[in-house]
Amino acid sequence: MSDARVLILDYGMGNLRSVEKALEHVGARAAIGSDPDEVRSADGLILPGVGAFPRAMERIRATGLDRLIAERAAAGTPILGICLGLQLLFERSEELGGAAGLGLLPGAVTRLEAPGLKVPNIGWAPVRWERESPLVAGIPSETPFYLVHSFVARPAAADRLGTAEYGERFACAAERGNVFGVQFHPEKSSAAGLALLANFAGICAKAPAAA
Amino acid sequence: MPLKRVIPCLDVDAGRVVKGTNFVGLRDAGDPVELAERYDAEGADELVFLDITASHERRETIVELARRTADNVFIPFTIGGGIRSVEDAQAVLDAGADKVSVNSAALERPELLTELADQFGSQCVVIAIDAKRDADDPPSASPACAAPAGWFGGTWGVYVKGGRERVPGRDAVSWAREAVERGAGEVLLTSMDRDGTNDGYDLELTRAVAEAVPVPVIASGGAGELSHLSEAITAGGADAVLCASIFHYGRHTVAEAKERLAADGIPVRR
């Protein structure tokens, strides 16, 4: 249980409800929103997302969430990107002609290199932790998580938190300071995913007090 | 490669599980959500709900089912039955479902598959096919028995209305191929010959479809022993196995199914 208040950022893309219910399931206080006061008062932020990168960035900019997210990241608020939300944290993506991202994590998002395999990659894959992190504390390396994706982020080596194998060994979790991202869906990854979300809520509870 | 999946299937009528269950300790054995939680805890990789409600409130009942499932179960799940339009699909996906499965609605109007894929992506769209071996084409004695030269394993008709009505001019393999070309991202393939028999999946049918499409195939119909699950993947080429009665009646748990698959050298989530 943690008293952290986690806000799931709503910019009109993706299924936010499952993330909210999974957080509630592990005892976190979760809400969905994008109002600046709500964003500033949250102990932690989750950036979800399903769909195409360029359209998601358009919507994030149109709602002013890009500046708010940058502000909170600088203030030390823990931020967790999920699936497309992870990709948006990076500098740019080549999807659909390319677009700039939020730039909180150095690196680009490119197509999954899986010659001869079906893309999108859909299903459960064992995830190997590349280092220790409070986000994955208590979750054994090579625990399977559920993925649905065609693109992958290419983080700096120091930011690679987890990798999985599909044609290539790719980064599926990244961490830099208070900024976290996972390509898999913790809200659909059963007990392991719930454990990761509980860890994130715990990180939020310990983070510097929100504005 | 992604891990091979074990998928319990729940038939639901007006919000209640149709087939009886022998689980001990359930508060309400007819509640699909409680059963789904149980399967999640046992290690099920996904769930499929097939709604057979025949009433005007059908959409409301499947949306409510999707919402209650998403509130309590944290693995991917598919809703089938009663999805006839993009609006129907939107309602259950918004409620928290991960995929929709379509069957007769896609046979009546194949463009539906493209509309769904354009709107939600192919990964959300499952084509469910009920297949039955054509009568003039008897099955070979055993899967191990070599087929005679020039004989390629037979043909299977496509059926609707629970296997009672054959769809004219359709065969299962070419329909699977067409459905995938139109946008389906996965094939849920049920052998109506084997469904309910406990004799094992139709491996020739499964193999024929798995070789014809570039997307995952879920084998369904006939699982009675755990060895049948392994066969569907190794001999049938399936990416996932759908099971109903083998789990519902408490003959085996999902965990036992996973153990057996792993013992047979098949990579699964445990």
Side-chain angles (χ1 to χ4, degrees):
Chain A
M1 289 289 275
S2 97
D3 279 340
R5 200 178 141 276
V6 179
L7 186 70
I8 301 153
L9 297 172
D10 183 9
Y11 55 97
M13 280 176 83
N15 169 19
L16 313 182
R17 183 182 170 78
S18 296
V19 180
E20 182 189 26
K21 292 298 164 185
L23 281 165
E24 288 174 357
H25 196 83
V26 298
R29 286 189 297 150
I32 295 172
S34 58
D35 174 75
D37 290 339
E38 272 184 298
V39 175
R40 290 194 174 102
S41 65
D43 298 307
L45 301 174
I46 288 187
L47 182 64
V50 171
F53 190 108
R55 182 169 154 74
M57 277 312 300
E58 262 173 44
R59 298 196 65 116
I60 284 174
R61 289 211 179 81
T63 51
L65 269 178
D66 55 336
R67 291 188 304 278
L68 268 173
I69 293 168
E71 176 197 309
R72 298 325 300 163
T77 303
I79 297 174
L80 174 66
I82 295 176
C83 195
L84 178 63
L86 155 82
Q87 298 177 12
L88 298 170
L89 297 174
F90 284 80
E91 293 169 300
R92 63 192 173 278
S93 170
E94 66 174 21
E95 187 176 2
L96 295 177
L102 293 167
L104 298 179
L105 295 173
V109 176
T110 65
R111 186 167 280 280
L112 187 61
E113 299 287 343
L117 295 179
K118 298 158 188 170
V119 173
N121 170 29
I122 305 174
W124 295 84
V127 174
R128 179 182 302 165
W129 307 129
E130 300 291 341
R131 57 183 170 89
E132 289 186 4
S133 163
L135 187 67
V136 302
I139 305 169
S141 192
E142 304 292 345
T143 296
F145 285 83
Y146 185 76
L147 291 146
V148 181
H149 67 125
S150 301
F151 286 80
V152 288
R154 311 291 179 183
D159 299 342
R160 273 160 72 105
L161 169 59
T163 59
E165 182 84 34
Y166 193 73
E168 58 170 327
R169 182 154 282 279
F170 63 92
C172 62
E175 174 184 357
R176 187 182 182 89
N178 55 321
V179 179
F180 304 84
V182 290
Q183 181 63 59
F184 48 79
H185 285 275
E187 78 281 12
K188 293 287 178 179
S189 294
S190 197
L194 294 174
L196 187 145
L197 290 172
N199 284 345
F200 181 68
I203 292 167
C204 298
K206 286 186 199 139
Chain B
M1 293 297 287
L3 302 173
K4 302 297 180 185
R5 293 167 284 155
V6 175
I7 307 177
C9 176
L10 298 154
D11 287 350
V12 178
D13 186 358
R16 305 286 295 171
V17 176
V18 176
K19 288 174 185 165
T21 66
N22 283 350
F23 276 143
V24 287
L26 290 183
R27 291 184 301 274
D28 175 0
D31 178 8
V33 178
E34 193 173 348
L35 203 49
E37 287 179 77
R38 173 74 167 251
Y39 286 136
D40 178 3
E42 281 183 7
D45 296 306
E46 292 183 29
L47 297 165
V48 169
F49 296 94
L50 288 180
D51 185 85
I52 59 168
T53 310
S55 78
H56 298 300
E57 296 80 38
R58 189 169 193 185
R59 195 206 269 188
E60 289 70 43
T61 62
I62 57 174
V63 169
E64 178 59 20
L65 175 62
R67 184 173 297 124
R68 288 187 53 227
T69 304
D71 286 357
N72 296 286
V73 181
F74 302 101
I75 53 175
F77 68 95
T78 301
I79 300 256
I83 309 287
R84 308 198 68 82
S85 65
V86 165
E87 292 70 33
D88 289 339
Q90 182 89 57
V92 298
L93 294 172
D94 283 349
D98 299 274
K99 312 179 201 180
V100 293
S101 158
V102 289
N103 188 333
S104 55
L107 285 160
E108 287 159 25
R109 211 171 60 79
E111 312 83 73
L112 174 63
L113 293 165
T114 314
E115 294 165 12
L116 293 171
D118 285 349
Q119 187 72 28
F120 310 112
S122 286
Q123 80 283 351
C124 284
V125 186
V126 180
I127 180 69
I129 300 176
D130 290 345
K132 204 189 238 180
R133 191 180 288 270
D134 289 326
D136 55 344
D137 185 17
S140 58
S142 99
C145 178
W151 188 77
F152 292 99
T155 58
W156 295 265
V158 176
Y159 284 73
V160 290
K161 304 199 170 145
R164 290 194 303 278
E165 196 173 290
R166 193 184 195 289
V167 180
R170 291 278 187 200
D171 81 273
V173 175
S174 61
W175 171 230
R177 199 181 282 126
E178 178 183 334
V180 169
E181 281 163 6
R182 287 181 179 274
E186 197 162 50
V187 179
L188 168 49
L189 179 66
T190 302
S191 163
M192 302 307 285
D193 297 307
R194 296 297 180 90
D195 204 25
T197 65
N198 295 335
D199 289 343
Y201 298 95
D202 185 336
L203 300 178
E204 290 178 13
L205 167 68
T206 306
R207 168 65 65 187
V209 172
E211 286 179 352
V213 297
V215 302
V217 172
I218 305 167
S220 160
E225 309 290 336
L226 295 180
S227 61
H228 294 153
L229 277 51
S230 294
E231 284 171 8
I233 293 166
T234 52
D239 297 274
V241 285
L242 193 86
C243 305
S245 56
I246 194 170
F247 295 145
H248 298 333
Y249 296 110
R251 207 154 47 228
H252 295 288
T253 64
V254 177
E256 286 167 1
K258 293 291 192 73
E259 274 168 38
R260 176 58 191 256
L261 291 170
D264 289 340
I266 295 165
V268 291
R269 180 176 74 99
R270 300 176 74 191

